[in-house]
Amino acid sequence: MNPLAKIGATFLAFLAGTGRLVMFAGAVVGQAVTPTYYPRHILKQFIEIGYYSLPVVGLTTLFSGMVLALQSYTGFARFSAEGAVATVVVLSMTRELGPVLAGLMVAGRVGAAMAAEIGTMRVTEQIDALTTLSTNPFKYLIAPRVIAATVSLPILVLIGDIVGVFGGYVVSTYKLGFNPSNYIQSTVEYLEFMDVVSGLVKAAVFGFIIALMGCYHGYNSGRGAQGVGAATTNAVVSASILILVANYFLTEVFFSGGG
Amino acid sequence: MTEGTPKIALQNVHKSFGAKHVLRGVDLQVAKGESLVIIGGSGTGKSVALKCVLGLMEPEQGSIKIDGEEMVGVSRSERADAMRKFGMLFQGGALFDSLPVWENVAFGLIQSQGMPRRDARDAAREKLRQVGLGEEVIDLHPAELSGGMQKRVALARAIATAPEIIFFDEPTTGLDPIMADVINDLIVNCVRELGATALSITHDMASARKIADRIAMIHQGKIIWQGSVSEMENSGSPYVDQFIHGRAEGPIKMAIQDH
Ligand SMILES: Nc1ncnc2c1ncn2[C@@H]1O[C@H](COP(=O)(O)OP(=O)(O)O)[C@@H](O)[C@H]1O
Ligand SMILES: [Mg+2]
């Protein structure tokens, strides 16, 4: 085959896929904001996504905060700037590491589970069954997951931020010999409201991406166990990539003013 | 609706998947209160035909009328109105495995008719009794039931909203002959009690003979013969003869691959 034709075909397939995803996202948002709502389902997903992700997010951010303190200390010691450790830890956690790490971990945990569950429902005709029972699968299955993920990720990240900063504090005071009250003071000194808020907005976007990709790939799952397996992998990979891409552009939007 | 309007009417229905032309001009009518069974080999498009009537798939060409009203190309909400007249028993049961048995049965009552959960539970108990299942299964999950019990629950769910039209997709496939006969009896009784119109598909001739008023045979995407059960025995069609006697030799050549 002509290599140009191959590139062209791949590009067209990419455009078509993007178009389908955007239309899917539009349908999901449309169904999520109009009645009927399923509060029981939203609550159930909220527990599933938010509550059960706490250990994963907590552990990840704890050790990241600890390693941040250690790394920046050894690095900054070269030019006698050890005093900046607290600031580096809190800014990195709130702006970047909190949302990105939580997003990636939850994508692995929750995105995969969503794709597997909805994919299985597709393959075993449960989604068709919903439709024949006059229930819109977008409202019943997808909207609650997207709403719950978009709301619970910022909460998870806020907790993760605190845990991460705490990890940095523990390492700095017990291992590196910082004075506890000085450390806390420099943690809050240069921290701005916007640092935290930008991280939480990112988290909400990541939550939306995770649920969207999990549901999209599950809903369009191929036939059989193989189809569900592929849907699960695709959900995690695409959500992770989209999170990193979105992270760059959101950072640019928030801090392009030199903040 | 005038006296002569068929409950279901298909005209020249075509459906393809990529290059695979599955339905190639299906013409079929089902009168009010009649039980029509479509027979045909595996992979001949029986399920696809049913899904087109249900609106789960959109045919590329042709017309499908329910009570004289066109269903192809209508809006989602118009389709949803027609959907309320339908009950469907899926090939694999398609029970919701996240819900207990009673909520599966009462799903249509709760979601589409807005019945309070307490009443719906009583209604589900009554429906389960009709298909020969007792109090002990009502809080179990579908995965805890045997294949025959799952079929019964699926049947109870299909008839729970007292639909005008019930679809059965291979109701006896995968069951032992005795359980298959039990299900056949239940189907006949339920359809008669509701006075419903029934459209079933099967390749099980014992089942077809038992539940059909009239039989239609599908081959290569077209209805090639139809008539009453007694006419079928002397149809004069070599296709029908080969199929009902289960002979490997004859005009029907089974594809070895796929399906
Ligand atoms: N969603 C689908 N996508 C692609 N091909 C399909 C789909 N559904 C059915 N088919 C194909 O259509 C043909 C008819 O399938 P089906 O109606 O399920 O057969 P059966 O008569 O056994 O019920 C098969 O070849 C099947 O592979
Ligand atoms: Mg089938």
Side-chain angles (χ1 to χ4, degrees), chain A residues 31 38 40-41 44 117 120-121 124-138 140, chain B residues 51 54 56 76 80 83-84 86 88 90-92 94-99 103 107-108 111-112 117 157:
Chain A
Q31 298 296 339
Y38 292 94
R40 294 159 63 92
H41 291 236
K44 186 172 163 227
E117 191 178 355
T120 305
M121 293 188 73
T124 57
E125 299 184 308
Q126 291 178 53
I127 293 184
D128 288 342
L130 275 179
T131 311
T132 63
L133 292 163
S134 302
T135 302
N136 184 337
F138 274 72
Y140 185 83
Chain B
K51 284 183 181 168
L54 276 162
L56 297 171
R76 222 191 157 100
M83 206 65 99
R84 283 179 219 289
F86 296 162
M88 165 82 180
F90 284 88
Q91 192 163 343
L95 294 173
F96 303 125
D97 37 34
S98 60
L99 298 178
E103 268 197 83
F107 195 92
Q111 302 298 347
S112 101
R117 293 173 67 82
R157 182 176 74 180

Side-chain angles (χ1 to χ4, degrees), chain A residues 86-100 154 157-158 160-162 165 186-204 206 247 250-251 253-259:
Chain A
T87 311
V88 167
V89 169
V90 73
L91 289 190
S92 322
M93 277 321 294
T94 53
R95 284 178 169 203
E96 279 301 322
L97 289 180
V100 171
V157 165
L158 191 61
D161 286 349
I162 295 168
V165 168
S186 32
T187 295
V188 291
E189 193 170 359
Y190 295 107
L191 181 67
E192 285 172 18
F193 186 61
M194 203 51 196
D195 297 324
V196 178
V197 168
S198 72
L200 299 186
V201 172
K202 281 180 176 181
F206 298 167
N247 182 46
L250 287 170
T251 307
V253 169
F254 278 118
F255 301 113
S256 57

Side-chain angles (χ1 to χ4, degrees), chain B residues 34-184:
Chain B
E34 183 183 35
S35 170
L36 179 88
V37 173
I38 304 177
I39 58 172
S42 297
T44 45
K46 302 186 298 294
S47 296
V48 170
L50 214 59
K51 284 183 181 168
C52 286
V53 179
L54 276 162
L56 297 171
M57 287 178 179
E58 184 91 349
E60 284 100 43
Q61 193 190 325
S63 142
I64 297 172
K65 291 194 171 118
I66 306 290
D67 287 329
E69 280 180 44
E70 183 61 53
M71 287 291 120
V72 177
V74 299
S75 71
R76 222 191 157 100
S77 66
E78 279 175 272
R79 168 135 22 237
D81 288 339
M83 206 65 99
R84 283 179 219 289
K85 299 180 187 170
F86 296 162
M88 165 82 180
L89 177 62
F90 284 88
Q91 192 163 343
L95 294 173
F96 303 125
D97 37 34
S98 60
L99 298 178
V101 164
W102 79 266
E103 268 197 83
N104 264 283
V105 175
F107 195 92
L109 298 171
I110 297 174
Q111 302 298 347
S112 101
Q113 300 186 357
M115 185 184 278
R117 293 173 67 82
R118 183 176 298 273
D119 300 350
R121 193 178 155 97
D122 292 335
R125 187 179 288 124
E126 170 59 24
K127 293 293 165 193
L128 285 166
R129 197 191 52 72
Q130 264 185 40
V131 298
L133 290 174
E135 184 70 34
E136 65 281 359
V137 301
I138 145 167
D139 287 314
L140 296 180
H141 278 259
E144 298 170 276
L145 304 177
S146 70
M149 285 161 102
Q150 288 185 3
K151 270 275 153 69
R152 290 184 196 224
V153 175
L155 178 60
R157 182 176 74 180
I159 60 169
T161 52
E164 293 171 32
I165 307 174
I166 317 183
F167 301 89
F168 300 98
D169 189 348
E170 313 226 355
T172 56
T173 301
L175 301 178
D176 66 72
I178 298 173
M179 183 55 77
D181 203 50
V182 171
I183 296 290
N184 287 333

